[in-house]
Amino acid sequence: MDMDYPPINNREDYLKSFRSGTDETTKKDDLQFEALKFALDIRKFEIDLYWKRATYFWAFIAASFAGYFALINANSQHWKHILIVSVLGFLFSYCWYFVNRGSKFWQNNWERHVDYLEDEWIGPLYKTVHKPRTINFLNPISAYPISVSKINQALSLLVSIIWMILISEALSRSFPYIDLGFIILIELTAIAIFTLMLFFLCRSALPLKNEDSIFVTRELK
C-alpha cells in the first residue's frame, strides 16, 4: 500500500518523521538511535563501494589502453579494430564518470542523515571539522581540504575526452573520405544520444518534484 509522506524542509520535520514508526513498545529515541547506526553503517558501505567501483572501471580502462597501444604498435595497423577498442574505452570511462557522480550523491545522502541524527547521541561529531589556522594551497607538503571524489570525477571526464580524441583519429584513419568536422559532429551526436539513454534508463527512482524539500521519498516501482 502506498503511503503519502510529507515533504521534509528542516531538521524538526525530519525528526518528526520518526514518530510515525513508533508504537507503545518502541520509543522514538530508540528508533532515532537505531537510524543513526544504520546511517553510519550505510555511509561506510557506500564509501567502500565507491572505491571498489573505481578499481573495477580502472581495470577495464587499463585493458582498453593496453589493447589500443598493442594494435597501434603492430606492424599492420587495423584502424577499424582500433576504433572498436577506442569506443569501448570511451564507454567504460564515460560510465565511470556517471557512476562517480551517482556514488557521491548517495554518499552525501547518508551523510545528511548522520548530520540530522547525531546531535542527541554523539554530539555534532561528524559535521564538526577541524580547521587549521592557515591553509596554504601552494605549500606542496601541507594538508588541504581537497575533495577526493571531485578529483575522481574530473579524472574520469578527462579520460573520456582522451578517448574521444582517439576515436576521432581512428575514424579519420578508417574512413579517410569523411571530413573531420563531420566526424566530430558524429561523435557529439552519439555522445548526446548515449547521455540521454543513461538519463532515462539509469536514473534512480528519486522524484524530481518537491525541489524545495531537504528530503523526499523515493518512488517505489
Side-chain angles (χ1 to χ4, degrees):
M1 181 177 63
D2 293 337
M3 297 182 65
D4 185 18
Y5 293 96
I8 298 173
N9 299 301
N10 50 55
R11 185 172 182 270
E12 182 180 355
D13 291 342
Y14 177 85
L15 296 178
K16 283 180 181 179
S17 66
F18 287 90
R19 295 173 185 171
S20 61
T22 62
D23 52 31
E24 294 180 357
T25 60
T26 305
K27 294 182 180 180
K28 182 186 69 172
D29 290 346
D30 294 336
L31 192 62
Q32 291 178 200
F33 181 66
E34 290 299 318
L36 174 61
K37 292 196 297 183
F38 271 104
L40 287 168
D41 288 341
I42 298 174
R43 174 188 170 273
K44 181 181 178 182
F45 178 67
E46 286 290 342
I47 294 175
D48 290 340
L49 282 180
Y50 180 89
W51 291 112
K52 288 179 181 178
R53 291 170 185 139
T55 303
Y56 168 85
F57 278 102
W58 262 123
F60 283 105
I61 293 169
S64 299
F65 272 119
Y68 177 88
F69 286 110
L71 289 171
I72 284 291
N73 293 327
N75 292 330
S76 178
Q77 296 179 359
H78 303 283
W79 283 103
K80 291 185 179 179
H81 295 163
I82 293 173
L83 175 61
I84 294 173
V85 173
S86 300
V87 170
L88 287 175
F90 170 79
L91 291 177
F92 285 124
S93 302
Y94 200 51
C95 288
W96 177 39
Y97 165 71
F98 280 101
V99 167
N100 283 335
R101 293 182 62 180
S103 296
K104 184 60 178 176
F105 176 88
W106 292 111
Q107 180 186 334
N108 284 341
N109 171 67
W110 293 108
E111 288 176 352
R112 297 295 81 75
H113 280 282
V114 173
D115 288 344
Y116 274 59
L117 290 165
E118 68 175 347
D119 288 359
E120 286 81 5
W121 302 102
I122 57 177
L125 176 65
Y126 179 76
K127 57 177 156 287
T128 302
V129 180
H130 172 256
K131 182 179 180 298
R133 292 183 179 275
T134 58
I135 302 178
N136 187 1
F137 178 77
L138 298 179
N139 186 345
I141 60 174
S142 67
Y144 193 83
I146 295 176
S147 172
V148 178
S149 58
K150 288 182 180 179
I151 291 179
N152 243 0
Q153 289 182 39
L155 179 61
S156 57
L157 190 58
L158 175 62
V159 175
S160 299
I161 294 173
I162 291 174
W163 280 116
M164 287 175 58
I165 296 172
L166 297 180
I167 290 173
S168 297
E169 172 70 10
L171 278 172
S172 62
R173 295 297 187 97
S174 300
F175 308 99
Y177 49 86
I178 298 180
D179 183 69
L180 179 60
F182 187 65
I183 288 176
I184 295 175
L185 178 61
I186 293 174
E187 276 193 278
L188 295 178
T189 302
I191 293 170
I193 294 173
F194 184 63
T195 303
L196 289 174
M197 289 176 59
L198 288 176
F199 177 79
F200 286 107
L201 299 179
C202 303
R203 189 177 68 84
S204 170
L206 187 69
L208 297 178
K209 58 185 178 181
N210 296 328
E211 292 87 353
D212 295 332
S213 300
I214 297 176
F215 287 94
V216 293
T217 305
R218 289 189 298 112
E219 297 173 353
L220 300 180
K221 296 183 179 180

mmCIF file of all heavy atoms in Angstrom, residues 138-174:
data_model
loop_
_atom_site.group_PDB
_atom_site.id
_atom_site.type_symbol
_atom_site.label_atom_id
_atom_site.label_comp_id
_atom_site.label_asym_id
_atom_site.label_seq_id
_atom_site.Cartn_x
_atom_site.Cartn_y
_atom_site.Cartn_z
ATOM 1 N N LEU A 138 49.363 26.460 -1.919
ATOM 2 C CA LEU A 138 50.627 26.477 -2.651
ATOM 3 C C LEU A 138 51.731 25.709 -1.943
ATOM 4 O O LEU A 138 52.782 25.454 -2.539
ATOM 5 C CB LEU A 138 51.065 27.926 -2.880
ATOM 6 C CG LEU A 138 50.110 28.790 -3.726
ATOM 7 C CD1 LEU A 138 50.656 30.199 -3.853
ATOM 8 C CD2 LEU A 138 49.890 28.162 -5.102
ATOM 9 N N ASN A 139 51.514 25.360 -0.685
ATOM 10 C CA ASN A 139 52.515 24.566 0.042
ATOM 11 C C ASN A 139 52.377 23.108 -0.385
ATOM 12 O O ASN A 139 51.374 22.459 -0.076
ATOM 13 C CB ASN A 139 52.301 24.704 1.542
ATOM 14 C CG ASN A 139 53.398 24.015 2.345
ATOM 15 O OD1 ASN A 139 54.164 23.208 1.817
ATOM 16 N ND2 ASN A 139 53.467 24.326 3.634
ATOM 17 N N PRO A 140 53.366 22.538 -1.071
ATOM 18 C CA PRO A 140 53.210 21.196 -1.636
ATOM 19 C C PRO A 140 53.175 20.074 -0.610
ATOM 20 O O PRO A 140 52.794 18.946 -0.940
ATOM 21 C CB PRO A 140 54.423 21.055 -2.564
ATOM 22 C CG PRO A 140 55.449 21.957 -1.959
ATOM 23 C CD PRO A 140 54.687 23.112 -1.382
ATOM 24 N N ILE A 141 53.589 20.339 0.645
ATOM 25 C CA ILE A 141 53.628 19.264 1.640
ATOM 26 C C ILE A 141 52.627 19.484 2.774
ATOM 27 O O ILE A 141 52.635 18.740 3.758
ATOM 28 C CB ILE A 141 55.045 19.118 2.223
ATOM 29 C CG1 ILE A 141 55.484 20.424 2.907
ATOM 30 C CG2 ILE A 141 56.029 18.676 1.158
ATOM 31 C CD1 ILE A 141 56.813 20.308 3.637
ATOM 32 N N SER A 142 51.753 20.474 2.648
ATOM 33 C CA SER A 142 50.772 20.717 3.697
ATOM 34 C C SER A 142 49.432 20.078 3.328
ATOM 35 O O SER A 142 49.145 19.807 2.159
ATOM 36 C CB SER A 142 50.568 22.223 3.904
ATOM 37 O OG SER A 142 49.952 22.808 2.767
ATOM 38 N N ALA A 143 48.621 19.826 4.360
ATOM 39 C CA ALA A 143 47.283 19.286 4.124
ATOM 40 C C ALA A 143 46.386 20.368 3.536
ATOM 41 O O ALA A 143 46.573 21.561 3.807
ATOM 42 C CB ALA A 143 46.699 18.767 5.432
ATOM 43 N N TYR A 144 45.424 19.910 2.731
ATOM 44 C CA TYR A 144 44.494 20.868 2.112
ATOM 45 C C TYR A 144 43.159 20.161 1.891
ATOM 46 O O TYR A 144 43.138 18.997 1.478
ATOM 47 C CB TYR A 144 45.044 21.391 0.779
ATOM 48 C CG TYR A 144 44.297 22.593 0.266
ATOM 49 C CD1 TYR A 144 44.594 23.870 0.731
ATOM 50 C CD2 TYR A 144 43.267 22.446 -0.667
ATOM 51 C CE1 TYR A 144 43.908 24.973 0.272
ATOM 52 C CE2 TYR A 144 42.571 23.548 -1.130
ATOM 53 C CZ TYR A 144 42.891 24.808 -0.653
ATOM 54 O OH TYR A 144 42.197 25.904 -1.110
ATOM 55 N N PRO A 145 42.037 20.844 2.174
ATOM 56 C CA PRO A 145 40.721 20.193 2.071
ATOM 57 C C PRO A 145 40.260 20.020 0.629
ATOM 58 O O PRO A 145 39.331 20.689 0.161
ATOM 59 C CB PRO A 145 39.803 21.147 2.850
ATOM 60 C CG PRO A 145 40.440 22.492 2.687
ATOM 61 C CD PRO A 145 41.925 22.229 2.708
ATOM 62 N N ILE A 146 40.912 19.127 -0.086
ATOM 63 C CA ILE A 146 40.543 18.832 -1.467
ATOM 64 C C ILE A 146 39.546 17.680 -1.484
ATOM 65 O O ILE A 146 39.693 16.709 -0.739
ATOM 66 C CB ILE A 146 41.786 18.484 -2.300
ATOM 67 C CG1 ILE A 146 42.709 19.713 -2.403
ATOM 68 C CG2 ILE A 146 41.414 17.978 -3.687
ATOM 69 C CD1 ILE A 146 43.999 19.440 -3.131
ATOM 70 N N SER A 147 38.546 17.778 -2.316
ATOM 71 C CA SER A 147 37.557 16.705 -2.444
ATOM 72 C C SER A 147 38.129 15.584 -3.312
ATOM 73 O O SER A 147 38.376 15.780 -4.506
ATOM 74 C CB SER A 147 36.264 17.243 -3.061
ATOM 75 O OG SER A 147 35.378 16.188 -3.348
ATOM 76 N N VAL A 148 38.335 14.424 -2.714
ATOM 77 C CA VAL A 148 38.875 13.280 -3.453
ATOM 78 C C VAL A 148 37.892 12.819 -4.522
ATOM 79 O O VAL A 148 38.281 12.463 -5.639
ATOM 80 C CB VAL A 148 39.186 12.132 -2.475
ATOM 81 C CG1 VAL A 148 39.696 10.910 -3.230
ATOM 82 C CG2 VAL A 148 40.216 12.577 -1.438
ATOM 83 N N SER A 149 36.609 12.836 -4.187
ATOM 84 C CA SER A 149 35.604 12.372 -5.148
ATOM 85 C C SER A 149 35.524 13.303 -6.358
ATOM 86 O O SER A 149 35.301 12.850 -7.485
ATOM 87 C CB SER A 149 34.237 12.256 -4.473
ATOM 88 O OG SER A 149 33.837 13.501 -3.929
ATOM 89 N N LYS A 150 35.695 14.611 -6.143
ATOM 90 C CA LYS A 150 35.668 15.544 -7.274
ATOM 91 C C LYS A 150 36.874 15.335 -8.187
ATOM 92 O O LYS A 150 36.761 15.478 -9.413
ATOM 93 C CB LYS A 150 35.618 16.988 -6.766
ATOM 94 C CG LYS A 150 34.278 17.375 -6.163
ATOM 95 C CD LYS A 150 34.261 18.828 -5.717
ATOM 96 C CE LYS A 150 32.918 19.209 -5.126
ATOM 97 N NZ LYS A 150 32.874 20.618 -4.670
ATOM 98 N N ILE A 151 38.013 15.010 -7.601
ATOM 99 C CA ILE A 151 39.187 14.704 -8.421
ATOM 100 C C ILE A 151 38.918 13.479 -9.280
ATOM 101 O O ILE A 151 39.255 13.424 -10.470
ATOM 102 C CB ILE A 151 40.423 14.498 -7.529
ATOM 103 C CG1 ILE A 151 40.851 15.816 -6.896
ATOM 104 C CG2 ILE A 151 41.571 13.893 -8.325
ATOM 105 C CD1 ILE A 151 42.038 15.704 -5.979
ATOM 106 N N ASN A 152 38.279 12.474 -8.677
ATOM 107 C CA ASN A 152 37.932 11.264 -9.428
ATOM 108 C C ASN A 152 36.976 11.579 -10.573
ATOM 109 O O ASN A 152 37.106 11.039 -11.678
ATOM 110 C CB ASN A 152 37.303 10.237 -8.482
ATOM 111 C CG ASN A 152 38.147 8.984 -8.379
ATOM 112 O OD1 ASN A 152 39.190 8.869 -8.992
ATOM 113 N ND2 ASN A 152 37.679 8.036 -7.600
ATOM 114 N N GLN A 153 36.003 12.444 -10.311
ATOM 115 C CA GLN A 153 35.068 12.828 -11.365
ATOM 116 C C GLN A 153 35.785 13.560 -12.492
ATOM 117 O O GLN A 153 35.548 13.289 -13.677
ATOM 118 C CB GLN A 153 33.968 13.713 -10.787
ATOM 119 C CG GLN A 153 32.988 12.991 -9.883
ATOM 120 C CD GLN A 153 31.894 13.912 -9.375
ATOM 121 O OE1 GLN A 153 31.386 14.767 -10.106
ATOM 122 N NE2 GLN A 153 31.531 13.771 -8.119
ATOM 123 N N ALA A 154 36.660 14.496 -12.123
ATOM 124 C CA ALA A 154 37.405 15.247 -13.137
ATOM 125 C C ALA A 154 38.312 14.316 -13.940
ATOM 126 O O ALA A 154 38.433 14.450 -15.163
ATOM 127 C CB ALA A 154 38.218 16.352 -12.468
ATOM 128 N N LEU A 155 38.939 13.359 -13.249
ATOM 129 C CA LEU A 155 39.832 12.422 -13.931
ATOM 130 C C LEU A 155 39.060 11.543 -14.908
ATOM 131 O O LEU A 155 39.500 11.325 -16.046
ATOM 132 C CB LEU A 155 40.560 11.560 -12.905
ATOM 133 C CG LEU A 155 41.525 10.507 -13.458
ATOM 134 C CD1 LEU A 155 42.630 11.178 -14.262
ATOM 135 C CD2 LEU A 155 42.119 9.678 -12.323
ATOM 136 N N SER A 156 37.904 11.028 -14.478
ATOM 137 C CA SER A 156 37.113 10.170 -15.363
ATOM 138 C C SER A 156 36.624 10.946 -16.580
ATOM 139 O O SER A 156 36.567 10.409 -17.693
ATOM 140 C CB SER A 156 35.925 9.569 -14.601
ATOM 141 O OG SER A 156 35.114 10.578 -14.023
ATOM 142 N N LEU A 157 36.285 12.226 -16.388
ATOM 143 C CA LEU A 157 35.861 13.045 -17.519
ATOM 144 C C LEU A 157 37.031 13.320 -18.461
ATOM 145 O O LEU A 157 36.879 13.303 -19.688
ATOM 146 C CB LEU A 157 35.261 14.364 -17.010
ATOM 147 C CG LEU A 157 34.545 15.235 -18.038
ATOM 148 C CD1 LEU A 157 33.407 14.480 -18.706
ATOM 149 C CD2 LEU A 157 34.027 16.502 -17.388
ATOM 150 N N LEU A 158 38.216 13.554 -17.894
ATOM 151 C CA LEU A 158 39.409 13.783 -18.714
ATOM 152 C C LEU A 158 39.749 12.547 -19.545
ATOM 153 O O LEU A 158 40.074 12.655 -20.742
ATOM 154 C CB LEU A 158 40.591 14.165 -17.822
ATOM 155 C CG LEU A 158 41.947 14.323 -18.520
ATOM 156 C CD1 LEU A 158 41.889 15.443 -19.550
ATOM 157 C CD2 LEU A 158 43.051 14.594 -17.499
ATOM 158 N N VAL A 159 39.678 11.364 -18.923
ATOM 159 C CA VAL A 159 39.957 10.130 -19.654
ATOM 160 C C VAL A 159 38.942 9.943 -20.778
ATOM 161 O O VAL A 159 39.289 9.488 -21.877
ATOM 162 C CB VAL A 159 39.952 8.926 -18.693
ATOM 163 C CG1 VAL A 159 40.108 7.616 -19.464
ATOM 164 C CG2 VAL A 159 41.072 9.048 -17.671
ATOM 165 N N SER A 160 37.692 10.311 -20.525
ATOM 166 C CA SER A 160 36.664 10.216 -21.569
ATOM 167 C C SER A 160 37.011 11.116 -22.752
ATOM 168 O O SER A 160 36.844 10.720 -23.921
ATOM 169 C CB SER A 160 35.294 10.612 -20.998
ATOM 170 O OG SER A 160 34.905 9.757 -19.946
ATOM 171 N N ILE A 161 37.491 12.324 -22.460
ATOM 172 C CA ILE A 161 37.870 13.250 -23.533
ATOM 173 C C ILE A 161 39.048 12.704 -24.334
ATOM 174 O O ILE A 161 39.090 12.815 -25.567
ATOM 175 C CB ILE A 161 38.206 14.632 -22.936
ATOM 176 C CG1 ILE A 161 36.942 15.265 -22.336
ATOM 177 C CG2 ILE A 161 38.795 15.552 -23.999
ATOM 178 C CD1 ILE A 161 37.198 16.545 -21.570
ATOM 179 N N ILE A 162 40.007 12.071 -23.636
ATOM 180 C CA ILE A 162 41.150 11.468 -24.333
ATOM 181 C C ILE A 162 40.669 10.381 -25.295
ATOM 182 O O ILE A 162 41.119 10.303 -26.449
ATOM 183 C CB ILE A 162 42.151 10.901 -23.313
ATOM 184 C CG1 ILE A 162 42.824 12.041 -22.545
ATOM 185 C CG2 ILE A 162 43.195 10.025 -24.002
ATOM 186 C CD1 ILE A 162 43.719 11.574 -21.419
ATOM 187 N N TRP A 163 39.727 9.554 -24.818
ATOM 188 C CA TRP A 163 39.183 8.520 -25.694
ATOM 189 C C TRP A 163 38.442 9.130 -26.877
ATOM 190 O O TRP A 163 38.483 8.578 -27.991
ATOM 191 C CB TRP A 163 38.269 7.586 -24.916
ATOM 192 C CG TRP A 163 38.975 6.550 -24.116
ATOM 193 C CD1 TRP A 163 38.980 6.399 -22.753
ATOM 194 C CD2 TRP A 163 39.805 5.492 -24.624
ATOM 195 N NE1 TRP A 163 39.754 5.331 -22.387
ATOM 196 C CE2 TRP A 163 40.278 4.749 -23.512
ATOM 197 C CE3 TRP A 163 40.200 5.102 -25.896
ATOM 198 C CZ2 TRP A 163 41.113 3.644 -23.647
ATOM 199 C CZ3 TRP A 163 41.044 3.996 -26.043
ATOM 200 C CH2 TRP A 163 41.479 3.280 -24.928
ATOM 201 N N MET A 164 37.771 10.249 -26.673
ATOM 202 C CA MET A 164 37.091 10.915 -27.791
ATOM 203 C C MET A 164 38.090 11.331 -28.868
ATOM 204 O O MET A 164 37.828 11.187 -30.070
ATOM 205 C CB MET A 164 36.330 12.139 -27.274
ATOM 206 C CG MET A 164 35.078 11.839 -26.487
ATOM 207 S SD MET A 164 34.326 13.340 -25.806
ATOM 208 C CE MET A 164 34.035 14.290 -27.311
ATOM 209 N N ILE A 165 39.246 11.843 -28.442
ATOM 210 C CA ILE A 165 40.286 12.237 -29.403
ATOM 211 C C ILE A 165 40.811 11.016 -30.155
ATOM 212 O O ILE A 165 41.007 11.039 -31.375
ATOM 213 C CB ILE A 165 41.426 12.964 -28.669
ATOM 214 C CG1 ILE A 165 40.910 14.270 -28.051
ATOM 215 C CG2 ILE A 165 42.584 13.244 -29.623
ATOM 216 C CD1 ILE A 165 41.909 14.967 -27.159
ATOM 217 N N LEU A 166 41.001 9.915 -29.418
ATOM 218 C CA LEU A 166 41.491 8.689 -30.059
ATOM 219 C C LEU A 166 40.454 8.117 -31.024
ATOM 220 O O LEU A 166 40.806 7.568 -32.070
ATOM 221 C CB LEU A 166 41.846 7.655 -28.982
ATOM 222 C CG LEU A 166 42.982 8.051 -28.027
ATOM 223 C CD1 LEU A 166 43.241 6.945 -27.016
ATOM 224 C CD2 LEU A 166 44.257 8.376 -28.802
ATOM 225 N N ILE A 167 39.183 8.244 -30.675
ATOM 226 C CA ILE A 167 38.116 7.793 -31.585
ATOM 227 C C ILE A 167 38.127 8.621 -32.862
ATOM 228 O O ILE A 167 37.969 8.088 -33.970
ATOM 229 C CB ILE A 167 36.747 7.877 -30.887
ATOM 230 C CG1 ILE A 167 36.634 6.811 -29.789
ATOM 231 C CG2 ILE A 167 35.611 7.694 -31.895
ATOM 232 C CD1 ILE A 167 35.381 6.932 -28.951
ATOM 233 N N SER A 168 38.321 9.933 -32.730
ATOM 234 C CA SER A 168 38.385 10.798 -33.914
ATOM 235 C C SER A 168 39.523 10.374 -34.830
ATOM 236 O O SER A 168 39.363 10.316 -36.059
ATOM 237 C CB SER A 168 38.569 12.257 -33.488
ATOM 238 O OG SER A 168 37.469 12.707 -32.737
ATOM 239 N N GLU A 169 40.662 10.061 -34.227
ATOM 240 C CA GLU A 169 41.813 9.619 -35.016
ATOM 241 C C GLU A 169 41.509 8.302 -35.727
ATOM 242 O O GLU A 169 41.794 8.143 -36.925
ATOM 243 C CB GLU A 169 43.025 9.456 -34.100
ATOM 244 C CG GLU A 169 44.254 8.830 -34.745
ATOM 245 C CD GLU A 169 44.922 9.747 -35.761
ATOM 246 O OE1 GLU A 169 44.556 10.940 -35.829
ATOM 247 O OE2 GLU A 169 45.804 9.256 -36.495
ATOM 248 N N ALA A 170 40.902 7.360 -34.987
ATOM 249 C CA ALA A 170 40.595 6.057 -35.587
ATOM 250 C C ALA A 170 39.546 6.184 -36.684
ATOM 251 O O ALA A 170 39.624 5.499 -37.723
ATOM 252 C CB ALA A 170 40.110 5.092 -34.501
ATOM 253 N N LEU A 171 38.559 7.057 -36.500
ATOM 254 C CA LEU A 171 37.542 7.265 -37.525
ATOM 255 C C LEU A 171 38.135 7.879 -38.785
ATOM 256 O O LEU A 171 37.809 7.474 -39.909
ATOM 257 C CB LEU A 171 36.427 8.166 -36.973
ATOM 258 C CG LEU A 171 35.351 7.502 -36.109
ATOM 259 C CD1 LEU A 171 34.452 8.565 -35.481
ATOM 260 C CD2 LEU A 171 34.516 6.529 -36.944
ATOM 261 N N SER A 172 39.005 8.860 -38.599
ATOM 262 C CA SER A 172 39.602 9.519 -39.765
ATOM 263 C C SER A 172 40.519 8.574 -40.531
ATOM 264 O O SER A 172 40.631 8.668 -41.761
ATOM 265 C CB SER A 172 40.384 10.765 -39.317
ATOM 266 O OG SER A 172 41.454 10.405 -38.462
ATOM 267 N N ARG A 173 41.175 7.637 -39.816
ATOM 268 C CA ARG A 173 42.026 6.657 -40.499
ATOM 269 C C ARG A 173 41.198 5.546 -41.146
ATOM 270 O O ARG A 173 41.568 5.030 -42.198
ATOM 271 C CB ARG A 173 43.009 6.047 -39.495
ATOM 272 C CG ARG A 173 44.014 7.013 -38.914
ATOM 273 C CD ARG A 173 44.936 7.599 -39.978
ATOM 274 N NE ARG A 173 46.001 8.389 -39.396
ATOM 275 C CZ ARG A 173 47.230 7.932 -39.156
ATOM 276 N NH1 ARG A 173 47.529 6.672 -39.450
ATOM 277 N NH2 ARG A 173 48.147 8.712 -38.628
ATOM 278 N N SER A 174 40.095 5.167 -40.474
ATOM 279 C CA SER A 174 39.248 4.097 -41.015
ATOM 280 C C SER A 174 38.442 4.578 -42.208
ATOM 281 O O SER A 174 38.186 3.815 -43.153
ATOM 282 C CB SER A 174 38.303 3.573 -39.935
ATOM 283 O OG SER A 174 39.014 3.046 -38.837
#
